[in-house]
Structure formats: C-alpha cells, structure tokens
C-alpha cells in the first residue's frame, strides 16, 4: 500500500456537493460570489422556494455553457436555516456587506423575494440603481397580517431609501393604489403587455434607463416568465414574457456594471426542473454579459 492511498479512494469514488456552474474556485479568487438563501417562511400562496438553491445548482451543473472562462465565480454555500424573516435579512445583509467590502459582486440564489430588501439596501448605499423583473409590484403596505413579507419588501425598501432609481419590468395586472404609489415614488413600470406588443421599443426604453445608471442591482423574480415556461414559481401569473425576451432584456441591463444579482421565487415542488434551468441560464446570461465589460 503506497503512502496517501488512504484518501485516494475519496477522489476515485466520490464527488463533491453540487456547486453553481460546477465552480471549484475559492472565495478569494472570485469576482462573482454565489450564495443561496433557502427561505420561504412568508410565502403567501405556495411554499417551497426554500428548495430552490440546490435545484438551481443542480440545473447549472447540467447545462452546457460555452463561455465560462471569463466568469470568475465561487459558490460559498447556503445561509444557515432560519424561520425568522428578521434573522434571514440580518444574515443576508451581513454576507452581502462582506462580499461588497471585498470588491466582489454578490449573486444570490433565492428563496423568496423578501431577501432583496436586505441585499438591495446594502447595494444602494453604494450608489446603484435597482432593476426588478417581476410579474408583481411587491409594493403592498401589508399582506396577510404582516408588514414584512414577499409582497411588501419593495415598499419597505422605498421607506428606507427614498429616491432610489428603480424600474420594474414584466408586471401583469396590478391594483391601482399600488400603481399610484409607484408613480408617486418615481418607479418606472414596463408592463409585460407592452414588452410583448412593442419589444424593440421596450428594449430601447430599458437601454435609455440603464444609460442613466452608473451601476445596477438586478433582481429577477422567475414569475416574470410565462407559467408555460416557468410553472415552478410560488405565485404564477398568466401571460408572461418568453425566455428569449428576458434574455434580450438581461443583455441590455448588464451592459452597465452589475453590482449585485438575485434570482428568486423558484419553487421546485411545482415543476419538473424547467424553472430551475431557466434560473441558472438567466444568471449565466447576466454574468457572461457582465464579464465582457469588466
Ligand atoms: Mn413576483
């Protein structure tokens, strides 16, 4: 028996845990730092988004990507489990702060959309604009007897950072009082209906908007896609965008420096993996475009 054989069997017969885009890089060498937030405690309809980070990783390991070389990415794991929305937000805030402090870009695998309250708040202190792809406005003052949940997080964010430049793309039907709130607070809304009927003009509107930003925090709620493409979300809304449309939109947004990204609301309990595949592909699309400008 030769020296070292004792652990050779580990490498011979066993493989590591899934890692986003099969990355084996350490934190120090990363430009993009991925972590998961397996949290869905405030889900208002279908719980299950807590299972998304691992499914998105699994999907990302099984898509053939052409252009990985330029993307220096490390997957540092998942947030330790909690059922407290306050503790989840504190921990996300701390982790995002550390990653930003080290000059890296946080990439977050949700989990429910509430996490963006913590991450966007951190990033906004660094002077970024916010672009949200979502079927919903998430601007309610309260929902189902709580003020801090995945239908209210954007309102809470605006209360804490007045005047934050924000655009929401892919909105379906929305209550008029929420539209009024958005207009009053200078939030740009690009409805899914308009994107589908006037795609080229919408891309131009996005291009004009991002040209006013020095850097952007991007939050992708997977329910922006039509439920035909992404049935595995917590609150599906009919008549959404196609993956090709969202791909074009992401490439336009990420022509500006990306300062943070999250992909939220994937719910693997309600599909056969397709929503996780698109989530992984959307992140790849954003990072491949960003890597070209950095
Ligand atoms: Mn949504």
């Amino acid at each position: 028996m030769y020296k070292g054989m004792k652990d050779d069997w580990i490498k011979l017969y066993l493989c590591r845990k899934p890692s986003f885009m099969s990355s084996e890089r350490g934190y120090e060498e990363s430009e993009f730092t991925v972590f998961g937030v397996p949290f869905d405690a405030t889900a208002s309809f279908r719980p299950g988004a807590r299972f998304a980070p691992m499914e998105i990783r699994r999907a990302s390991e099984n898509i053939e990507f052409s252009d990985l070389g330029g993307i220096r990415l490390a997957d540092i794991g998942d947030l330790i489990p909690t059922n407290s929305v306050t503790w989840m937000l504190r921990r996300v805030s701390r982790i995002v702060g550390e990653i930003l402090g080290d000059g890296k870009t946080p990439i977050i695998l949700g989990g429910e959309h509430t996490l963006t309250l913590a991450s966007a708040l951190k990033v906004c202190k660094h002077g970024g604009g916010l672009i949200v792809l979502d079927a919903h406005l998430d601007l309610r003052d309260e929902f189902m007897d709580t003020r801090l949940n995945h239908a209210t997080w954007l309102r809470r964010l605006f209360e804490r950072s007045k005047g934050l430049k924000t655009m929401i793309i892919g909105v379906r039907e929305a209550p008029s009082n929420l539209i009024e709130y958005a207009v009053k607070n200078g939030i740009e809304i690009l409805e899914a209906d308009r994107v589908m009927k006037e795609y080229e003009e919408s891309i131009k509107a996005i291009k004009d908007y991002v040209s006013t930003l020095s850097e952007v925090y991007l939050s992708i709620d997977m329910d922006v896609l039509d439920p035909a493409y992404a049935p595995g979300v917590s609150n599906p809304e009919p008549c959404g965008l196609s993956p090709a449309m969202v791909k074009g939109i992401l490439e336009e947004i990420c022509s500006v420096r990306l300062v943070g990204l999250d992909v939220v609301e994937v719910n693997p309990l309600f599909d056969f993996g397709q929503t996780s595949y698109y989530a992984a592909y959307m992140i790849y699309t954003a990072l491949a475009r960003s890597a070209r400008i950095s």
Side-chain angles (χ1 to χ4, degrees), residues 214-235:
S214 58
E215 52 189 27
V216 67
Y217 181 94
L218 173 60
S219 177
I220 307 173
D221 182 328
M222 289 303 288
D223 65 34
V224 74
L225 287 176
D226 191 84
Y229 302 104
V233 293
S234 291
N235 299 63

Side-chain angles (χ1 to χ4, degrees), residues 113 134-136 138 221 223-224 235 265:
H113 215 158
D134 198 332
H136 310 96
D138 295 350
D221 182 328
D223 65 34
V224 74
N235 299 63
E265 298 287 332

Side-chain angles (χ1 to χ4, degrees), residues 163-234:
L164 170 66
K165 290 206 74 171
T166 301
M167 180 183 240
I168 310 176
I169 302 168
V171 177
R172 319 288 213 280
E173 309 289 324
S176 56
N177 62 322
L178 301 189
I179 303 263
E180 276 166 33
Y181 181 90
V183 171
K184 209 175 83 191
N185 284 277
I187 300 173
E188 291 279 333
I189 299 174
L190 196 50
E191 298 92 349
D193 207 38
R194 190 176 147 209
V195 176
M196 288 187 282
K197 286 178 182 148
E198 301 166 4
Y199 184 68
E200 294 305 324
E201 289 84 345
S202 300
I203 288 287
K204 169 83 169 54
I206 294 166
K207 191 191 184 87
D208 291 346
Y209 193 78
V210 297
S211 72
T212 67
L213 306 171
S214 58
E215 52 189 27
V216 67
Y217 181 94
L218 173 60
S219 177
I220 307 173
D221 182 328
M222 289 303 288
D223 65 34
V224 74
L225 287 176
D226 191 84
Y229 302 104
V233 293
S234 291

Side-chain angles (χ1 to χ4, degrees), residues 4-264:
M5 193 170 168
K6 266 201 175 321
D7 6 290
D8 276 358
W9 62 269
I10 295 180
K11 282 185 192 150
L12 266 175
Y13 297 117
L14 298 155
C15 57
R16 52 160 179 69
K17 288 182 202 160
S19 165
F20 191 71
M21 283 165 62
S22 308
S23 169
E24 295 188 12
R25 277 199 175 82
Y27 174 72
E28 293 297 333
E29 349 159 37
S30 66
E31 176 188 0
F32 301 106
T33 310
V34 177
F35 69 98
V37 181
F39 183 90
D40 62 13
T42 85
S44 56
F45 181 34
R46 311 197 297 195
R50 68 180 62 189
F51 301 114
M54 204 41 90
E55 287 307 314
I56 298 171
R57 285 190 183 96
R58 240 189 280 274
S60 76
E61 289 211 326
N62 291 286
I63 301 174
E64 284 205 275
F65 298 114
S66 57
D67 193 16
L68 288 182
I71 305 174
R72 285 188 295 113
L73 175 149
D75 183 348
I76 59 170
D78 281 348
L79 199 72
I80 54 172
T82 177
N83 258 348
S84 155
V85 67
T86 320
W87 276 104
M88 180 276 286
L89 292 171
R90 276 183 198 151
R91 288 168 184 160
V92 168
S93 175
R94 171 77 197 274
I95 296 166
V96 168
E98 294 287 341
I99 294 170
L100 289 173
D102 288 333
K104 304 172 188 300
T105 305
I107 310 295
I108 311 176
L109 312 175
E112 60 171 64
H113 215 158
T114 319
L115 69 88
T116 312
L117 172 58
S119 52
L121 254 182
K122 271 284 180 211
V123 172
C124 293
K125 285 182 187 155
H126 287 66
L130 171 67
I131 299 192
V132 184
L133 272 60
D134 198 332
H136 310 96
L137 288 174
D138 295 350
L139 282 171
R140 289 173 194 273
D141 193 31
E142 60 163 45
F143 199 61
M144 291 170 76
D145 305 325
T146 69
R147 285 170 55 79
L148 201 51
N149 59 59
H150 76 154
T152 65
W153 69 270
L154 189 53
R155 180 106 162 209
R156 298 290 92 82
L157 178 67
F158 264 81
E159 289 163 356
R160 289 165 172 80
S161 51
K162 290 243 180 291
L164 170 66
K165 290 206 74 171
T166 301
M167 180 183 240
I168 310 176
I169 302 168
V171 177
R172 319 288 213 280
E173 309 289 324
S176 56
N177 62 322
L178 301 189
I179 303 263
E180 276 166 33
Y181 181 90
V183 171
K184 209 175 83 191
N185 284 277
I187 300 173
E188 291 279 333
I189 299 174
L190 196 50
E191 298 92 349
D193 207 38
R194 190 176 147 209
V195 176
M196 288 187 282
K197 286 178 182 148
E198 301 166 4
Y199 184 68
E200 294 305 324
E201 289 84 345
S202 300
I203 288 287
K204 169 83 169 54
I206 294 166
K207 191 191 184 87
D208 291 346
Y209 193 78
V210 297
S211 72
T212 67
L213 306 171
S214 58
E215 52 189 27
V216 67
Y217 181 94
L218 173 60
S219 177
I220 307 173
D221 182 328
M222 289 303 288
D223 65 34
V224 74
L225 287 176
D226 191 84
Y229 302 104
V233 293
S234 291
N235 299 63
E237 294 289 341
C239 270
L241 304 184
S242 74
M245 284 173 168
V246 172
K247 187 180 181 197
I249 289 169
L250 292 179
E251 282 173 345
E252 204 53 65
I253 294 169
C254 296
S255 62
V256 172
R257 195 176 96 79
L258 188 68
V259 74
L261 165 70
D262 64 60
V263 174
V264 296

